[in-house]
Amino acid sequence: MNIEFNKNEDQYKQLTFKLQNKLKQVKLGGGEKKIESHHKKGKLTARERIDYLRDEGSEFLEIGAFAGEGMYEEVGGCPSGGVITGIGYVQGRQTVIVANDATVKAGAWFPITAKKNLRAQEVSIENRLPIVYLVDSAGVFLPMQNEIFPDKEHFGRQFRNNARMSAMGIVQIAAIMGSCVAGGAYLPIMSDEAMIVDKTGSIFLAGSYLVKAAIGESVDNETLGGATTHCEISGVTDNKYDSDEECLDAIKNIFDKLGAPEQAGFDRSEPASPAKNAEELYGLYPVDRAKPFDMREIIERLVDDSSFDEYKKDYGMTLLCGYARIDGWAVGIVANQRKMVKTKKGEMQMGGVIYSDSADKAARFIMNCNQRKVPLVFLHDVSGFMVGSRSEHGGIIKDGAKMVNAMANSVVPKFSIVLGNSYGAGNYAMCGKAYDPRLIFAWPTAQIAVMSGASAAKTLLQIKVSALKAKGEEITPEAEEELLKEITNKYNSELSPYYAAARLWVDGIIDPLETRKTISMGIEAANQSPITEKFNVGVIQT
């Protein structure tokens, strides 16, 4: 391997080391003292509950691990949004698991908590996966109630989803393992089965303090809404258990008797590892996004046997399209080519940019994948669509619209991995979050924004300087340089994949070596949701 490879490898391994350290910190939730306090109450933590519930040695694909990262610092932060979500296996059955982390502000709901819970329900709905709620929450974080309570995508939407999911036949199991108060009480009771842990679990619309204030009644929380009350008097909950472990064992017993899911029928053969060494991804993918590379080399380290059956190889060469297998699953891959390419006409095209011919090719390929019932995988490293008079005169907007139309109307499941750049309309065309990918994950090198940091900073600087001059103010070259630096630093911080993951623009950040597992588990989930819609792109200008 050459010096450039070794340099890339060193830089990328530093990024993955940073990722692992951040994950370790996030997994501590509210911190070691809070965990210890939790254990003294005889309770397992949210992550311990998930580990006990899921099959030993099985994979858990966490969704939203970095939700809330760097947010709400004025109130002490909210690691992982105060709730753990993901896809795991219970008795061999894939299921979505949602577990409130009571070590974080007693499991209170922040705005990002609501967004993350709704994302978990969305994953369950799209893939027809059973869902388990491990409830332990103090309810809405009152100082931010105006950002979480009344709107369409706020707290109440989860109960609407409970009702819709039940009507769809999606199995919902809830275990009340701690507090469950106010409006939050509806979530477990709108599930198919609601179980409760004795002495630690409680559920009521209003706690003892509020009851005293509202109607003057003096009553303790256990009498008001404990396990004995709801299992023997009200009948609100179905069964009570003496410990977290007994309650989780009961959930396992339910899953042991579930009927088999329907299948979408996506093709899967015997899985095979890439023929080329996957660990070479670290050295092949440059951390410096100004450096070109051949995306084929990346694909060949992600797909089975390193076999990539390319579609229209010599046409629209800044987008690679083709068929492959990932962990045995048949997939159609759409990937941005980052190196400069030379067309058959002798023209040079910039890497990472979508041209008219590339967009046209991708639209046709996406249609073919829908025709053949092949899931789509988008590998992002895109600066956007080509600009300039030549592109505009050639109809770049029309060709780009064809690609977006075909992608947006796809009925086969779509999966997005953001490797590097994902800028502007390129993010949309490559199935960004707004276009309903079943899963969207980022590598540590990912950047998601309207445009690159350098371009944005210069644009913002021009606007700022013009505004100052319009007020009659002059700005020295030194001051202008300082202002550019300030703008660049702020914008670059917002380009970070952690910034995107904190806001759930992506489902998480993964080590490149986890890409195959992530896509495979996603397709396995999608295969449990038969395709009922017909593919129709509506009106496309030709």
Side-chain angles (χ1 to χ4, degrees), residues 73-89:
E73 296 297 331
E74 67 281 3
V75 292
C78 187
S80 278
V83 63
I84 317 304
T85 62
I87 301 173
Y89 297 85

Side-chain angles (χ1 to χ4, degrees), residues 105-110 136-142 148 155 179-184:
K105 296 288 188 296
W109 284 57
F110 284 68
D136 193 347
S137 172
V140 168
F141 185 65
L142 289 177
I148 188 176
F155 187 71
S179 296
C180 185
V181 301

Side-chain angles (χ1 to χ4, degrees), residues 83-383:
V83 63
I84 317 304
T85 62
I87 301 173
Y89 297 85
V90 180
Q91 300 294 77
R93 183 73 173 265
Q94 264 194 334
T95 183
V96 174
I97 304 174
V98 178
N100 298 114
D101 186 353
T103 70
V104 179
K105 296 288 188 296
W109 284 57
F110 284 68
I112 197 65
T113 317
K115 188 173 183 178
K116 186 171 174 179
N117 274 266
L118 293 177
R119 174 60 178 147
Q121 288 183 320
E122 181 180 46
V123 171
S124 172
I125 291 167
E126 287 182 332
N127 299 295
R128 299 297 192 272
L129 293 180
I131 187 167
V132 175
Y133 306 102
L134 306 179
V135 184
D136 193 347
S137 172
V140 168
F141 185 65
L142 289 177
M144 293 183 176
Q145 64 85 26
N146 63 319
E147 298 178 52
I148 188 176
F149 173 67
D151 211 346
K152 181 177 179 179
E153 299 298 330
H154 281 179
F155 187 71
R157 185 74 172 185
Q158 67 171 336
F159 313 130
R160 175 265 186 195
N161 287 350
N162 282 144
R164 295 293 302 141
M165 291 162 77
S166 184
M168 293 165 67
I170 294 172
V171 174
Q172 300 179 83
I173 308 297
I176 302 159
M177 311 183 87
S179 296
C180 185
V181 301
Y186 287 104
L187 183 143
I189 309 311
M190 293 184 75
S191 298
D192 301 343
E193 189 150 348
M195 44 192 68
I196 187 169
V197 179
D198 196 17
K199 301 298 185 289
T200 55
S202 60
I203 177 170
F204 33 65
L205 293 181
S208 56
Y209 292 127
L210 184 54
V211 168
K212 178 68 174 176
I215 63 173
E217 180 185 0
S218 296
V219 60
D220 64 88
N221 283 338
E222 187 64 25
T223 303
L224 189 64
T228 298
T229 294
H230 287 309
C231 285
E232 299 180 17
I233 301 173
S234 72
V236 166
T237 52
D238 300 315
N239 286 296
K240 64 178 178 178
Y241 302 90
D242 291 331
S243 67
D244 282 8
E245 289 88 348
E246 282 189 22
C247 187
L248 295 168
D249 285 337
I251 297 175
K252 294 179 186 181
N253 288 336
I254 292 171
F255 271 80
D256 187 50
K257 298 168 183 67
L258 289 183
E262 294 182 57
Q263 298 286 304
F266 303 128
D267 185 67
R268 191 180 197 186
S269 62
E270 186 67 28
S273 298
K276 295 185 176 180
N277 186 357
E279 291 195 2
E280 291 176 355
L281 287 169
Y282 296 136
L284 290 168
Y285 192 85
V287 173
D288 183 351
R289 53 197 34 12
K291 292 181 179 177
F293 67 93
D294 189 348
M295 182 63 85
R296 288 186 186 87
E297 294 287 345
I298 304 299
I299 292 171
E300 288 171 356
R301 285 158 179 81
L302 294 176
V303 301
D304 293 12
D305 292 320
S306 299
S307 177
F308 181 52
D309 183 13
E310 201 163 341
Y311 173 79
K312 289 183 179 285
K313 182 178 180 180
D314 297 323
Y315 177 74
M317 293 187 290
T318 63
L319 269 178
L320 305 182
C321 300
Y323 301 98
R325 290 187 182 275
I326 293 178
D327 200 31
W329 294 106
V331 295
I333 295 174
V334 180
N336 304 109
Q337 176 61 288
R338 260 274 294 274
K339 71 175 186 177
M340 293 282 288
V341 297
K342 188 175 183 178
T343 69
K344 293 299 178 182
K345 296 179 181 178
E347 299 169 338
M348 295 301 295
Q349 293 186 338
M350 292 169 56
V353 177
I354 302 175
Y355 288 76
S356 283
D357 54 356
S358 306
D360 176 67
K361 176 173 82 170
R364 291 169 180 266
F365 178 72
I366 290 167
M367 292 177 190
N368 282 348
C369 287
N370 277 271
Q371 183 84 344
R372 301 175 190 181
K373 203 156 76 169
V374 176
L376 284 158
V377 173
F378 293 85
L379 302 178
H380 295 223
D381 200 331
V382 59
S383 302

Side-chain angles (χ1 to χ4, degrees), residues 302-502:
L302 294 176
V303 301
D304 293 12
D305 292 320
S306 299
S307 177
F308 181 52
D309 183 13
E310 201 163 341
Y311 173 79
K312 289 183 179 285
K313 182 178 180 180
D314 297 323
Y315 177 74
M317 293 187 290
T318 63
L319 269 178
L320 305 182
C321 300
Y323 301 98
R325 290 187 182 275
I326 293 178
D327 200 31
W329 294 106
V331 295
I333 295 174
V334 180
N336 304 109
Q337 176 61 288
R338 260 274 294 274
K339 71 175 186 177
M340 293 282 288
V341 297
K342 188 175 183 178
T343 69
K344 293 299 178 182
K345 296 179 181 178
E347 299 169 338
M348 295 301 295
Q349 293 186 338
M350 292 169 56
V353 177
I354 302 175
Y355 288 76
S356 283
D357 54 356
S358 306
D360 176 67
K361 176 173 82 170
R364 291 169 180 266
F365 178 72
I366 290 167
M367 292 177 190
N368 282 348
C369 287
N370 277 271
Q371 183 84 344
R372 301 175 190 181
K373 203 156 76 169
V374 176
L376 284 158
V377 173
F378 293 85
L379 302 178
H380 295 223
D381 200 331
V382 59
S383 302
F385 285 86
M386 191 58 190
V387 297
S389 61
R390 185 172 181 179
S391 292
E392 297 293 359
H393 296 171
I396 185 68
I397 296 175
K398 178 181 67 177
D399 290 319
K402 288 182 198 174
M403 180 179 173
V404 172
N405 197 323
M407 180 275 300
N409 283 299
S410 287
V411 296
V412 295
K414 300 169 290 193
F415 301 89
S416 284
I417 306 293
V418 185
L419 283 63
N421 302 336
S422 189
Y423 297 153
N427 171 272
Y428 298 162
M430 293 294 291
C431 194
K433 186 66 182 288
Y435 290 84
D436 301 319
R438 294 292 176 95
L439 294 172
I440 176 169
F441 279 84
W443 284 9
T445 39
Q447 290 190 348
I448 301 172
V450 172
M451 62 182 74
S452 71
S455 298
K458 289 174 183 176
T459 303
L460 291 168
L461 177 66
Q462 290 173 8
I463 294 169
K464 184 76 173 177
V465 170
S466 295
L468 290 171
K469 288 181 177 178
K471 294 177 183 178
E473 297 179 30
E474 288 296 325
I475 183 167
T476 66
E478 293 77 16
E480 188 171 320
E481 184 67 28
E482 187 61 32
L483 187 57
L484 176 62
K485 184 179 177 181
E486 180 185 322
I487 293 170
T488 301
N489 289 341
K490 180 180 183 299
Y491 196 88
N492 282 341
S493 70
E494 295 173 2
L495 285 173
S496 164
Y498 295 99
Y499 189 92

